[in-house]
Structure formats: structure tokens, C-alpha cells
Amino acid sequence: MNRKLFGGVASGLVAVLVLIVVIAVLRGGDEVVMDEAPPERVVAARPESRAEVSAPAAVSAALQAAPAPEPSLSEQEVYEEEPLAETTPAPEPTPEPAPAPKVMPLISVRVIEEGTGLPVPNVRVALTTELEDTGEELPIPGRIGRFDQDSDEKGIAVFADAPPDTYRVTARLGFGPRAEAEEPVVSKMNGKHEIEIVFPAKIQFLCRLMDEAENPVANREIQVGTALPGGGGGNFALAGFNWGVDWETVTTDAEGYFHLLSYEETRSAGIATKGPELFSSKGGRNFFGGGRRGRGDADGPWANPHMHMGRLDAEGETVFVIREEVVVATGVLVNAPDPVGESGYFARVRGGSAFYPALPVEDDTFTFSITPGTRATIEIGQNVESTARRDRNSREKTVEIEFPEEAGPFEFEIEFEERAFVEGVVYLPDGEGAKDVTVTALGAREATEGDAPAPDRGGGRWGNWNGRGDNGSTRIVSPPTDERGRFRMELPPAESYTFSTETETLPEDAKGSDPLTKSWTEIEAGGEVELWLKTSSYLWGEVFDARGYPVPEAQVNLRGPDIPWNSPDFQTYTDADGVFELNIPPIRLAVPDPEEPPEHYVFAFHRTYGGGLGQVFLDDPENRVQVRLADFASLQLTVTENGVPVPEIRFAQLYTVPGFSQPVSSRNSGRMREEDGVYNFRFLLKGLSSVNVWTEGERQVSVRTVLIEDDGPDRVEAAIDLAQPPARSGN
């Protein structure tokens, strides 16, 4: 019994001890948690369930049955003294403001008229870098030298792509009036600059309209216009072959006088009416008259409209002569085939004292006035849209007409012969059809009695009518080939036709073909015309400036024998990395013989960085042409003979080409005259250019050469005496 009692007491003591230990553990756990967690998070750190406390299963069951202990006074004081606090987030750091983006300067130029302040539209405004040493308006190596654009209707031109620099600001109309801002503009990044240029005002030119008997023509309403040198400004212009003139209507006074409002530099004036009258002028020449003087008589050029060429004197007067006794001619096309494209036909009239460059043909009819008794050649052609070059117009019919001696209406017909259709294909070198290629058919025949003579091709404003000049030839241009390379043409009778491709329409990698000739009998018999393109010859290279940096947008020309000077077929431009690729017609150049001195070279030019020359590697993709541009220089050359100034010289500018044993001509040569014997040469290339100077007369010709040194100044001053032995001269 005592043993049972002792066992029960012991069990009770053990239970009490376990309970004490558990409570101690719980208190200890609270302290640990409180020590580890921040003070404000004490309550949140407590376990939500006591089951989370690690204990034996029996103790856990006992704890669940017993009530939770009350917190001690010390715990209550802790909770009262340290209540739950709100969390205050740390302040975010203030980001530094982003730097303002740098933009190119914005330069706004406003051109106003002197005296009135009115805006001057359509003038060429230019920003040109300012040279510090001479102030000359020349390109500067290593800098973008010039920016230009036309002023708008408000007289404003805005430049947003000119880098920071010091610029001279000018405004100009053609080669006519020019004005400059009072001071250069010094532009900066993010800067805005407003410049004003005061442009010269127009002046009045006194003109007079008279008849052939030199009587004034009073109270006549006419249209007049003017033009400046270089084709700029005024209100007189030419659009393509046709007269596209913004005429001003004026009325002559009782003495036949009227005024033209234009600039002092005006070099030409036009006059026209909507009637049949013809006009000529005194003291000038007609724009299309081949240089003949207009004297107001039967030998002068007569037209309506008529353009007087010659300086208009503000102190004197310009006399226009009207001829009212005229033949009003109407030409009618008979059996004319449908024209290519939408441009239609036009007629060219030339002969005697008349010339019309391009009369529009509407509904197969055209009308013009001509002097009675004139024998004129009339050519019918098309302004083919497949190419923009003027000499690519077709000439499809040529006749000669004798006009009556009496004034009045006169009608004549131009009949087209029955035609034959020709079809064909243009093939690429791989046998595929070549798309969008234009084919030319040049027909030739023997001249017969009654044929019109060949038109005068020389010295005219428009050059050759069709680029050929063959007597009696007919030139027909096809529409562009289709997707399969096919074309179809309608040809008038001829002895034979030679078919060829238009270079401007050929793909870059196949820029040539052999011409094909067919007789008229073969054409009538049918059969296709097959033209095979040839793979282009190829060269490539790089262009650098004097410091070795690539030069974008440099013009690159291949030059040498059998290559037209600056021909577009042998010309290209460098890309943004200064690299160029040039495909040229394969039939023009033979493969160079390595044993022979080279004949062809590459010339590169940039108006800012200068010019340079390079050796040609044709059809050699492994070798590139390298051209380093040389800076510009100018030469002031004093030429004397025994100390006396030479007033007239002959000169030739030459280039030194890498790999060439002799200099080559720059095609800049001729005769110069200066009474003081001081001659100026511009745009020479340092280390590449030389100038040959000589005189001609009864004495033996003497030649002197001036070399432009590579490391010489931008402005070279030299003197030579032709009586002294030749010696090398430079700066």
C-alpha cells in the first residue's frame, strides 16, 4: 500500500515537473522570438497555434486540455510600452534628370525685297562654310562645305541638317542677282538661328513694239516674260520641249511702249500673243535661232512665242517687231499609228526664218504661223516616256513643205506609210527575259528625189533630234519589255532596220548587247528579233579624304579612250561607307594588256573634300580601286616675257595619275586674256594638278609647267618669264 502511495506521489511529481519544464520552454521560446524579431513586430511574431511548438505527443495533448497561462505583469507592461507601430518605407532616391538630347542647329533664313520688305520666293539660299584666311566662298576639306535650297512662297528657307559651323548665308537667282546676310551665322548644337537677307528689287525695262515699217503698234495686248542667266528666276521658263511660260499680260501705249519688270541681270525677254502674229527683235538673237541676229527683217528668226536673247539695258530700250501678214498653217497626220505611252506626237518646224521646237499634236492636227514663201522641214516624233533624255525622242516622219507666197490659211497633210509589226525578245545572259528594257529601231534608206534634206543638227539648243543625225533615217522606240522580256513595235517601210537596246534601261549587271540588223524583206516575212544582253564589266573601290576617312556621295567616273567625258554610263557615287561599284557596258573596253601602260583611270570628286585619281582594276573582284582625295588649291600665275606682262596665253590643266608615265588632260584648257598678265586658276588638286602655259605667234612656241605641290598652300602664287629657260615652278 505504501508502495502504491509512493508510486502515485512520484507520478504526480513527475507531471508537475514536466508542466514546469513546458512552461519554462514556452517562456524561453517567447524570449527567443522577441530577441530575433524587431520590437514593432513582436505580436506578429508569435505562433498562431501552439501546435507549432515542438513537444512530445503526450505533452501536446496535456497542453490542449489545460487553459492557456495568463501573461505576467511584465509582459503586459511590455505590450503597453511598445505598441504596434506603422511601417514607414524608406524614401526613394530622386533620379537625376536625363540630359537634353543634342540636335542639329535650326537655321531659318528669310529673304525679303529691298525697299518693300515683301517675301522673295524661289531663290536659291545657300549656307557656305566661312574660310578664316581669305573669306573666299570655297569648299573646305574635312568639313561639309555647302547646303542650299529654294525659298518658299513666304521667302523662307529652313536648314535642319547643317552641322555646327560658321556659315556665310547667300541668296541667288540663277547666275543673276545675289545678296548676302550682313554677318556670318555661327551655329551651335540645339541652337535656333534666324537670318534675314535683303534681296535686290526688280527694275523696269523699257520695251517697244513696232511693225516691219518701224511704225509703233499701239494699244496691243501681248504676253511678255523675262529670264535670268543660268535659267533661274524671272517668269519665263521652258518645260521640256514645250513652251511652259508664266506670261504676264501687258498693253502697249500710244507709242507702242511697254515695261518689263525684272532684275538688272536679265539676259532675255519673251513676247507672245494668242493670235497668228509672228515676232522678232532687234539687237538680240532668238533662243532657237542658231545664233542668228534678229534684225526685224526677213533674215531674222520669227516665231510666236519669240524669245529675245541679249542683255536688256535699263538705260535704253528693246525693240520687238511684229509681222501680221503670215501664213496660218495647219498640219494633219494621216494614218498615224497610235503613239507610245501618253505623251503623244509633236511637230518640229524649221526652215528659212522660222523655228518651232515642239508643237503639240492634238487629234492628229497642229497649227502654227510662218512667213509666206518659206520652205520648211517638218519632223513628227514622240517624246518617249521610257527615258528622260531629250535626244531619246523618236523621229518617225520627215517632210518638206513649200508654203504659199500669200498670207492666209494653209492646210497640208503628212501621210504615214503602211507599217509592219515586229515582235522580239530581250534576253539576259542566263537566258531569262529582261524586263523593262526599251528597244530602238533605226531605219535607214537611200535618199531619193523629193526627200527632205537632213535637218541642221549643229549648234542648236536641243542638240541632235534623235542622237543620230542620219539623212533620211527613222528612229522608233518601243514600249518597255514585259515580264518575259518581250516587245512589239510598228515600223514604217525602210531599206533596213538596226535594233539595239537603250543603255539607260538595262539592268546593272548586263549593260550591253550587240545590235541586230534586218532588211525590210526579212521584217515583212516575220520572225522575231532576239537581242542578247552581255554581262557588264565591273570595278569597285573606296574613296578617302586627305586624312584617310571614307567619303560618302563622291562622284566617281571612269575615264580614258573610247569613253565619253563624264558619261552617265561610266559614272556612279560612293555609298555611306565611301565604297562604290560600277557596272559598265562590256563592249566599250578591252581587257588591258599588263605589258602595256594603262590607258583608263578612275577620277573621284567631291565638292567639299577635293578630287583624286586611281588605277583601274577591271573585272577583278579581288583588287579594289583606292582613291585618296587631294585638297583644293588655287593658282595666281604672273606671266611675263623679258619682264613685260603677257596679255594672252594658251593653257591646259593636267592630272598626274598613279601608274601613268605621262600626265593626262583634265579637259580644262583654252585661251585666257588678262592685260596685266596675272591669271587665276581655281579648283586645282594638290599633288595631282599641273598647268601648262604657252603662247602662239610667229615666234617658236614656248611651254612652261607649274606644278601644284602636295604640301603647298591653298593659294599658290607663281611667276614665269617665257624668255627664261624652262624651270620647275610652284609655290
Side-chain angles (χ1 to χ4, degrees):
M1 181 178 185
N2 291 335
R3 183 176 294 178
K4 292 181 179 181
L5 179 62
F6 179 80
V9 173
S11 300
L13 290 174
V14 172
V16 172
L17 289 174
V18 171
L19 182 59
I20 292 173
V21 172
V22 171
I23 293 174
V25 171
L26 291 175
R27 287 187 175 181
D30 289 341
E31 292 174 1
V32 172
V33 174
M34 290 176 65
D35 290 341
E36 292 178 351
E40 64 271 15
R41 305 301 296 173
V42 170
V43 176
R46 290 181 178 271
E48 299 178 359
S49 170
R50 295 186 184 271
E52 298 178 8
V53 180
S54 178
V59 177
S60 179
L63 287 175
Q64 292 181 12
E70 293 293 332
S72 64
L73 179 62
S74 62
E75 287 177 324
Q76 293 179 9
E77 291 174 353
V78 170
Y79 291 133
E80 290 175 0
E81 293 176 359
E82 297 185 17
L84 182 66
E86 295 291 335
T87 301
T88 303
E92 294 288 339
T94 303
E96 296 182 4
K102 291 186 176 182
V103 297
M104 297 287 266
L106 186 66
I107 303 176
S108 177
V109 182
R110 184 169 180 259
V111 186
I112 60 173
E113 186 179 67
E114 183 180 7
T116 65
L118 296 174
V120 183
N122 302 322
V123 297
R124 179 55 55 92
V125 180
L127 306 180
T128 308
T129 48
E130 181 78 9
L131 282 175
E132 296 178 359
D133 51 356
T134 65
E136 293 185 24
E137 191 174 321
L138 291 176
I140 297 180
R143 296 160 68 182
I144 298 177
R146 182 182 175 94
F147 298 84
D148 49 25
Q149 61 176 287
D150 293 339
S151 60
D152 60 19
E153 66 275 4
K154 296 181 180 179
I156 295 176
V158 178
F159 299 85
D161 57 350
D165 212 327
T166 300
Y167 292 102
R168 173 180 296 176
V169 187
T170 58
R172 192 166 194 170
L173 270 174
F175 296 108
R178 179 184 181 278
E180 183 175 339
E182 293 184 358
E183 295 182 355
V185 57
V186 181
S187 62
K188 298 180 179 180
M189 294 297 288
N190 296 338
K192 294 184 178 180
H193 312 272
E194 295 185 356
I195 311 296
E196 189 172 84
I197 296 180
V198 180
F199 203 72
K202 294 181 178 181
I203 61 175
Q204 284 190 338
F205 292 96
L206 182 63
C207 301
R208 196 177 194 187
L209 181 61
M210 307 183 73
D211 61 19
E212 294 183 81
E214 298 188 358
N215 299 313
V217 179
N219 304 318
R220 177 65 62 92
E221 186 178 276
I222 54 177
Q223 284 80 47
V224 294
T226 59
L228 294 166
N235 58 353
F236 189 95
L238 287 172
F241 274 92
N242 300 312
W243 296 83
V245 182
D246 181 18
W247 297 101
E248 176 188 2
T249 301
V250 300
T251 302
T252 60
D253 63 15
E255 296 297 323
Y257 286 104
F258 62 95
H259 288 92
L260 285 174
L261 188 64
S262 189
Y263 295 98
E264 183 178 0
E265 294 82 357
T266 297
R267 292 292 192 277
S268 54
I271 184 169
T273 63
K274 296 181 180 179
E277 304 91 348
L278 293 174
F279 294 94
S280 185
S281 58
K282 294 185 177 181
R285 59 186 177 87
N286 188 281
F287 188 64
F288 299 106
R292 294 174 297 176
R293 290 285 176 179
R295 301 187 300 274
D297 55 25
D299 295 327
W302 295 85
N304 184 359
H306 166 82
M307 189 171 181
H308 166 87
M309 295 292 290
R311 187 180 181 89
L312 301 181
D313 188 358
E315 303 297 328
E317 64 182 36
T318 300
V319 177
F320 291 91
V321 182
I322 189 172
R323 171 176 287 176
E324 299 188 85
E325 294 294 318
V326 299
V327 173
V328 181
T330 300
V332 180
L333 306 187
V334 179
N335 297 328
D338 293 334
V340 175
E342 299 179 357
S343 60
Y345 287 105
F346 57 85
R348 187 189 200 199
V349 180
R350 188 170 191 172
S353 59
F355 181 73
Y356 293 91
L359 297 168
V361 177
E362 299 179 358
D363 297 327
D364 292 335
T365 302
F366 60 99
T367 301
F368 59 97
S369 298
I370 196 167
T371 303
T374 300
R375 183 179 179 87
T377 299
I378 301 176
E379 299 172 346
I380 306 297
Q382 297 182 61
N383 189 11
V384 182
E385 298 174 346
S386 61
T387 177
R389 293 180 58 177
R390 290 192 182 104
D391 62 350
R392 297 307 186 203
N393 294 279
S394 64
R395 180 160 62 86
E396 304 194 16
K397 187 67 178 178
T398 302
V399 297
E400 190 168 279
I401 301 294
E402 185 81 38
F403 292 92
E405 297 286 345
E406 298 80 19
F410 176 74
E411 184 174 302
F412 61 95
E413 293 183 347
I414 300 178
E415 185 172 0
F416 286 72
E417 302 90 343
E418 185 176 349
R419 299 192 165 199
F421 287 99
V422 175
E423 295 186 358
V425 186
V426 179
Y427 290 104
L428 294 169
D430 61 5
E432 296 291 328
K435 180 185 176 184
D436 294 331
V437 174
T438 299
V439 176
T440 297
L442 182 65
R445 59 185 176 85
E446 297 180 357
T448 58
E449 185 178 354
D451 283 345
D456 179 15
R457 309 288 182 191
R461 165 73 170 116
W462 305 110
N464 289 346
W465 175 261
N466 59 14
R468 306 282 185 170
D470 304 274
N471 185 23
S473 64
T474 298
R475 186 176 185 277
I476 309 295
V477 180
S478 77
T481 54
D482 62 15
E483 296 282 349
R484 299 177 298 164
R486 300 193 63 83
F487 65 92
R488 190 171 189 264
M489 308 177 71
E490 191 176 4
L491 304 178
E495 182 178 318
S496 63
Y497 274 96
T498 299
F499 299 89
S500 60
T501 53
E502 292 278 287
T503 303
E504 293 87 349
T505 64
L506 297 181
E508 286 296 316
D509 57 351
K511 299 196 70 173
S513 65
D514 290 328
L516 175 67
T517 300
K518 281 179 172 277
S519 67
W520 184 250
T521 302
E522 292 176 308
I523 292 174
E524 286 187 312
E528 291 192 340
V529 174
E530 294 186 358
L531 297 173
W532 284 82
L533 301 184
K534 294 183 176 181
T535 303
S536 301
S537 291
Y538 170 83
L539 62 91
W540 73 286
E542 298 171 287
V543 177
F544 305 94
D545 66 10
R547 301 171 301 168
Y549 291 98
V551 177
E553 298 183 4
Q555 178 179 308
V556 179
N557 290 87
L558 180 64
R559 292 181 175 174
D562 301 323
I563 297 180
W565 191 257
N566 287 345
S567 166
D569 296 338
F570 299 86
Q571 181 184 99
T572 188
Y573 291 85
T574 56
D575 61 16
D577 299 317
V579 176
F580 68 87
E581 296 182 0
L582 180 59
N583 293 284
I584 61 175
I587 61 175
R588 299 301 296 267
L589 298 181
V591 177
D593 186 346
E595 302 297 328
E596 297 293 332
E599 295 182 306
H600 296 89
Y601 62 96
V602 168
F603 177 80
F605 174 81
H606 192 281
R607 64 182 181 181
T608 297
Y609 301 104
L613 304 107
Q615 189 173 355
V616 172
F617 300 100
L618 194 64
D619 294 326
D620 187 354
E622 300 298 324
N623 289 314
R624 67 183 183 275
V625 180
Q626 291 186 307
V627 180
R628 184 178 291 270
L629 302 184
D631 294 343
F632 290 108
S634 60
L635 169 65
Q636 184 181 80
L637 181 63
T638 302
V639 183
T640 59
E641 187 171 17
N642 291 321
V644 179
V646 176
E648 184 173 311
I649 62 171
R650 297 291 302 272
F651 74 95
Q653 294 184 21
L654 306 176
Y655 288 136
T656 300
V657 183
F660 278 47
S661 58
Q662 297 292 330
V664 298
S665 172
S666 69
R667 295 288 293 269
N668 189 2
S669 61
R671 189 187 306 271
M672 297 179 70
R673 184 174 181 83
E674 295 290 346
E675 293 297 331
D676 59 359
V678 179
Y679 300 90
N680 290 283
F681 303 88
R682 301 181 66 184
F683 297 107
L684 303 173
L685 301 176
K686 293 183 178 180
L688 299 175
S689 291
S690 60
V691 180
N692 281 358
V693 176
W694 69 95
T695 59
E696 289 184 347
E698 295 182 0
R699 62 184 180 279
Q700 185 178 1
V701 175
S702 55
V703 179
R704 299 292 184 272
T705 300
V706 179
L707 302 178
I708 307 301
E709 303 292 345
D710 186 24
D711 55 354
D714 291 342
R715 183 174 179 82
V716 179
E717 295 184 3
I720 57 175
D721 193 303
L722 299 178
Q724 301 299 321
R728 173 172 172 160
S729 56
N731 56 348

